[in-house]
Amino acid sequence: MESLHHDEDKRALRRFLRRQRQALSQHEQRLAAQRLCQYLKTLPEIRRARRISLYLPVNGEIDPMPLLPWLRKRNVEVYLPVLRPFSTNTLWFVAYRPDTPMVKNRFGIWEPDLRFSAQQHNRLPAWALDTLLVPLVGFDGNANRMGMGGGFYDRSLSFMHRPGPSPTLIGVAHACQQVASLPVEPWDVPLQAVVSDQGGVRRQSAAHKKG
């Protein structure tokens, strides 16, 4: 029974946080996106990245795309998540160039066209990216993330639970999406930090917390 309540609580919290960000006006959204990108530009994980994954926002998600001209100027390769065909809730990471053909996926999100994405030279395995900006519904002061509930990023990045090369994961969100604490599930892939329009929080290591 406890697990049932836990799931219901998570669903209710997810609904509440989605309403919070959807209540922001277009003007507030634009300002928040600009502030977010100012903070992101100061992060060493962004400044040193040569291959970075962004996302196109939907349903009030904070918009990381104002970062694009700055990244292009620095000759950073930019990738976008694409729903992987014939695969349950997993993502490809596909090159986003000025000439990348775009279509709307089943969630109404723009993504690189499947014919383009299916060509292997147009995509990278997730482990080969330097940094991923990850959308989220909620976060807490230890950079724990609540996603949309589909598990797309957790499945696509499950290799990070094992040793080996892996990207830096930075969650991005509106400040109004922060909560006191979130439950951590065994399958959650940990973020290094979460950045909002009002600053950032970093994950505390277990050793750091004990100290």
Side-chain angles (χ1 to χ4, degrees):
M1 274 308 284
E2 197 178 310
S3 154
L4 192 64
H5 290 314
H6 174 67
D7 288 347
E8 283 170 10
D9 288 349
K10 276 182 88 166
R11 274 198 294 273
L13 181 58
R14 201 174 263 126
R15 274 197 304 273
F16 168 74
L17 290 168
R18 287 182 69 175
R19 280 201 300 272
Q20 289 275 91
R21 70 183 188 197
Q22 284 169 330
L24 297 167
S25 69
Q26 281 191 314
H27 176 67
E28 288 169 320
Q29 283 273 8
R30 268 198 307 275
L31 270 182
Q34 285 163 9
R35 286 198 197 109
L36 169 81
C37 291
Q38 282 165 0
Y39 285 120
L40 288 172
K41 286 176 192 178
T42 68
L43 294 190
E45 296 94 336
I46 300 286
R47 296 185 71 84
R48 65 171 175 248
R50 307 316 306 150
R51 297 164 155 186
I52 194 165
S53 172
L54 304 182
Y55 66 88
L56 292 166
V58 71
N59 295 331
E61 288 173 341
I62 199 162
D63 186 359
M65 296 314 275
L67 206 55
L68 193 59
W70 182 78
L71 292 171
R72 296 249 196 258
K73 216 177 281 177
R74 294 164 71 89
N75 295 319
V76 175
E77 291 175 28
V78 176
Y79 292 79
L80 289 178
V82 170
L83 301 181
R84 188 175 172 173
F86 317 117
S87 171
T88 310
N89 293 19
T90 52
L91 302 166
W92 273 338
F93 293 91
V94 178
Y96 184 46
R97 307 182 192 113
D99 60 346
T100 299
M102 304 290 286
V103 292
K104 272 191 179 178
N105 66 24
R106 67 177 188 267
F107 298 114
I109 304 168
W110 287 98
E111 64 177 26
D113 163 278
L114 210 50
R115 280 188 302 264
F116 179 86
S117 302
Q119 295 173 49
Q120 214 162 345
H121 65 270
N122 288 329
R123 60 179 199 266
L124 265 191
W127 59 261
L129 291 159
D130 296 316
T131 302
L132 272 87
L133 292 189
V134 182
L136 51 82
V137 174
F139 70 100
D140 66 18
N142 195 34
N144 294 313
R145 166 186 183 263
M146 175 179 272
M148 290 294 287
F152 286 90
Y153 280 93
D154 287 323
R155 277 194 188 84
S156 307
L157 301 169
S158 59
F159 65 89
M160 291 180 66
H161 290 295
R162 303 181 292 278
S166 60
T168 297
L169 304 185
I170 296 174
V172 289
H174 293 284
C176 64
Q177 293 171 250
Q178 184 167 1
V179 297
S181 77
L182 284 172
V184 180
E185 309 291 358
W187 56 83
D188 289 342
V189 177
L191 305 173
Q192 273 72 31
V194 177
V195 180
S196 79
D197 50 305
Q198 289 180 25
V201 296
R202 283 197 174 267
R203 174 169 300 282
Q204 306 279 300
S205 70
H208 188 91
K209 274 196 282 192
K210 280 181 207 146

